[in-house]
Amino acid sequence: MARLIFLGPPGSGKGTQAAQLAQDEQISHISTGELLRKAVADKTDLGVKAKYYMDKGELVPDQLVLDMVRERLHKLDVQSGWILDGFPRNVAQAESLENLLKEVAQVSDSVISLEVPDDLLVDRLLARGRKDDNEETIRRRLEVYREQTAPLIDFYRARGQLKSIDGAQPISSVTAVLKQVICS
Ligand code: AP5
């Protein structure tokens, strides 16, 4: 059973790799970005609040995201394992996650950091063209990643949980390396 956290800048392939691995390993893929986009599409209270931040490339306030992740981690289908994709996103969220995992009597096994050069990230995102994949928002998402999320690399390295992977290779090569790394 695997319980994994995927870290990486926008466009590094977190969602792509998490979806493939979750399918292959029959575990749950928990993407905070996807959950938030669904809330926006459904126009829930959470979605209405989150949209303001997402459109600007800013992080949605921690408490909103944490409540959403707590609800998800209490569901039965996560008992066979999970991948957290896009959460935690800052040190406060990582500390909250540690408490939340104690609540559900679980621990994370590894933290996968996908590394990709910035120019490649921008090319991939512009080619995808999601609502927040315009130049201005991408620039802000990358800044937010550097300022708030990248410090988690040291946070998890200090806990001996970090495994870094070259995410600039073709999708199937990254998946193959990922599988080797999580088994090692
Ligand atoms: P989120 O949905 O998490 O977006 P992101 O982190 O910006 O990541 P992306 O989905 O853009 O990239 P990815 O790394 O998943 O890459 P992907 O596989 O899609 O968050 C969106 C927003 O929600 C945030 O800005 C924030 O507002 C909010 N949010 C989410 N979580 C939050 C949290 N915890 N706290 C607060 N706010 C939060 O790939 C990208 C493209 O590249 C695809 O087209 C793919 O086909 C292609 N690609 C992938 N891998 C490769 C490869 N190896 N070779 C070639 N192409 C590739």
Side-chain angles (χ1 to χ4, degrees):
M1 183 203 299
R3 297 185 186 117
L4 306 167
I5 294 170
F6 278 20
L7 273 185
S12 57
K14 302 181 297 296
T16 304
Q17 296 300 331
Q20 185 64 53
L21 194 65
Q23 188 183 5
D24 293 352
E25 302 292 319
Q26 300 274 292
I27 58 178
S28 298
H29 175 195
I30 305 173
S31 158
T32 45
E34 285 298 323
L35 291 170
L36 288 166
R37 278 186 287 281
K38 180 164 189 324
V40 171
D42 292 346
K43 297 191 169 64
T44 64
D45 286 350
L46 168 64
V48 171
K49 288 180 190 145
K51 184 176 185 306
Y52 170 80
Y53 300 94
M54 295 170 80
D55 285 348
K56 292 197 299 182
E58 302 290 344
L59 294 186
V60 173
D62 291 346
Q63 196 56 50
L64 296 178
V65 178
L66 196 64
D67 290 346
M68 188 179 76
V69 174
R70 174 179 284 108
E71 189 184 325
R72 191 67 190 84
L73 279 178
H74 274 92
K75 290 199 172 148
L76 277 180
D77 68 307
V78 303
Q79 298 302 327
S80 53
W82 40 257
I83 301 172
L84 278 176
D85 158 15
F87 179 91
R89 214 59 166 226
N90 56 32
V91 172
Q93 290 187 7
E95 288 170 347
S96 298
L97 176 62
E98 291 189 338
N99 292 329
L100 179 51
L101 290 178
K102 280 184 200 147
E103 267 176 39
V104 292
Q106 296 184 15
V107 285
S108 56
D109 304 316
S110 301
V111 178
I112 307 294
S113 169
L114 285 167
E115 296 181 355
V116 177
D118 276 10
D119 52 350
L120 197 49
L121 297 172
V122 175
D123 289 350
R124 285 183 186 177
L125 294 174
L126 287 175
R128 180 176 61 182
R130 201 170 70 193
K131 188 164 183 286
D132 56 349
D133 289 339
N134 57 77
E135 278 191 38
E136 190 184 345
T137 310
I138 291 171
R139 193 167 50 246
R140 184 60 194 145
R141 284 159 63 201
L142 286 169
E143 281 171 4
V144 168
Y145 174 78
R146 280 190 215 99
E147 290 163 6
Q148 302 193 46
T149 310
L152 291 179
I153 293 176
D154 283 342
F155 179 96
Y156 285 116
R157 186 182 285 123
R159 282 161 172 70
Q161 285 195 291
L162 190 80
K163 296 179 176 176
S164 298
I165 289 187
D166 176 7
Q169 305 305 311
I171 291 174
S172 57
S173 309
V174 179
T175 309
V177 172
L178 185 56
K179 287 184 177 179
Q180 283 171 4
V181 163
I182 61 170
C183 290
S184 64

